[in-house]
Amino acid sequence: MTEKSTPSEVRIRQPLRWQIATLAHVRQETPRVKTLTLSLPEWVPHRPGQHYDVRLTAPDGYQAQRSYSIASEPERSGEIDLTIELLDDGEVSSYLHQELRQGDQVEVRGPIGGYFVWEADMGGPLFLVAGGSGVVPLMAMIRHRAARQSRVPTRLLFSSRSADEIIYAGELEKLQAAHNGLEVIHTLTRSQPPGWRGYARRIDRQMLAEAIAPLGEAPLTYVCGPTLLVESVANQLVGLGLPADRIRTERFGPTGSPA
Ligand SMILES: Cc1cc2nc3c(=O)[nH]c(=O)nc-3n(C[C@H](O)[C@H](O)[C@H](O)COP(=O)(O)OP(=O)(O)OC[C@H]3O[C@@H](n4cnc5c(N)ncnc54)[C@H](O)[C@@H]3O)c2cc1C
């Protein structure tokens, strides 16, 4: 009797289950951004770039659900970091910022996503472009790269409004100072500190051309942030001659807009 193997394409995947995470730690990253460390009873290793869904349920049964990228590297087991920007009228982000306390529980489901991911085995060079909290999944890639001691040439072009709004500023500086092939290029779009020598405008074609040049012909490129930034950067990269199949994008919102 011959044994039939099931082709991976037709294997039925189990639907992801919701689990109850506990808020283990909170870190204020910038005035409007916090990192929540959640410990998970059913932790599984994720691929850097993936996200979790967070679901809130009110006492009357009303539910709200949003996606949040995983900021931590998969080498850290048992817990994940989610880095969340506070939106003034934001239903879920304001709850996570203002109501959730250490030891509180929250429902999560993940890890989700198989396209916007990078693992050290995929190689490079790597070009990462972020607007604001769009840096979160890229940070998971950068932390994974460091944990795996990868030396893949990597450049992060990171747009923030002002110096005090640069998420992970200190950690990025340290990783860059290790001289293992990571370079971080900042642009500050609204205000710049005295003596600022970096870019001081929105990401444009010239900035992209300068930032990508040292990486050669066709680096593996990941772009994440607000929808308009992602679309404009992806179009300009194609205009600069980067093959479209080397560019992966993730749009953060606003909620309800096409992903
Ligand atoms: C795959 C994926 C990963 C994401 N990862 C992160 C992450 O790591 N960190 C993070 O902070 N957010 C992330 N987001 C965005 C997040 O899912 C929510 O959309 C965001 O937190 C707003 O939810 P809210 O309930 O607070 O606001 P809502 O109540 O949904 O919206 C309030 C107001 O803000 C506007 N708005 C909604 N979303 C955004 C947005 N992203 N940017 C600007 N304005 C917006 C709405 O149009 C509305 O006017 C991700 C989104 C996706 C699709």
Side-chain angles (χ1 to χ4, degrees), residues 181-193:
L182 171 71
E183 281 179 80
V184 184
I185 304 141
H186 291 286
T187 182
L188 298 180
T189 56
R190 293 209 188 153
S191 67
Q192 302 80 31

Side-chain angles (χ1 to χ4, degrees), residues 66-69 83-85 87 89-93 252 254-255:
R66 300 286 184 272
S67 302
Y68 291 102
S69 299
T83 298
I84 292 155
E85 179 180 1
L87 299 181
D89 54 350
E91 198 177 11
V92 173
S93 63
F252 267 12
T255 305

Side-chain angles (χ1 to χ4, degrees), residues 84-245:
I84 292 155
E85 179 180 1
L86 173 66
L87 299 181
D88 287 329
D89 54 350
E91 198 177 11
V92 173
S93 63
S94 64
Y95 177 87
L96 296 174
H97 264 253
Q98 290 155 0
E99 308 294 332
L100 202 69
R101 302 270 178 273
Q102 204 167 328
D104 284 355
Q105 297 189 317
V106 64
E107 268 188 303
V108 300
R109 179 175 70 175
I112 300 168
Y115 163 74
F116 194 82
V117 295
W118 180 80
E119 286 161 306
D121 302 343
M122 291 167 68
L126 208 50
F127 186 42
L128 310 174
V129 185
S133 56
V135 74
V136 177
L138 308 182
M139 194 61 182
M141 297 175 191
I142 289 171
R143 286 170 167 159
H144 163 67
R145 178 185 173 282
R148 290 283 300 273
Q149 299 186 320
S150 161
R151 294 193 153 254
V152 162
T154 302
R155 304 196 107 205
L156 167 67
L157 175 59
F158 187 7
S159 176
S160 308
R161 284 182 217 131
S162 59
D164 68 346
E165 291 195 51
I166 301 176
I167 306 168
Y168 315 129
E171 187 177 349
L172 284 171
E173 209 173 296
K174 266 194 208 146
L175 287 168
Q176 178 169 230
H179 296 295
N180 63 6
L182 171 71
E183 281 179 80
V184 184
I185 304 141
H186 291 286
T187 182
L188 298 180
T189 56
R190 293 209 188 153
S191 67
Q192 302 80 31
W196 175 249
R197 295 164 67 143
Y199 292 113
R201 58 183 200 271
R202 286 179 167 210
I203 295 175
D204 57 24
R205 189 184 162 107
Q206 191 197 335
M207 197 186 294
L208 286 166
E210 288 166 7
I212 204 171
L215 295 173
E217 290 274 292
L220 200 44
T221 299
Y222 294 81
V223 186
C224 185
T227 304
L228 285 178
L229 175 143
V230 171
E231 282 169 7
S232 128
V233 166
N235 287 335
Q236 291 177 88
L237 287 171
V238 171
L240 286 168
L242 187 65
D245 65 1

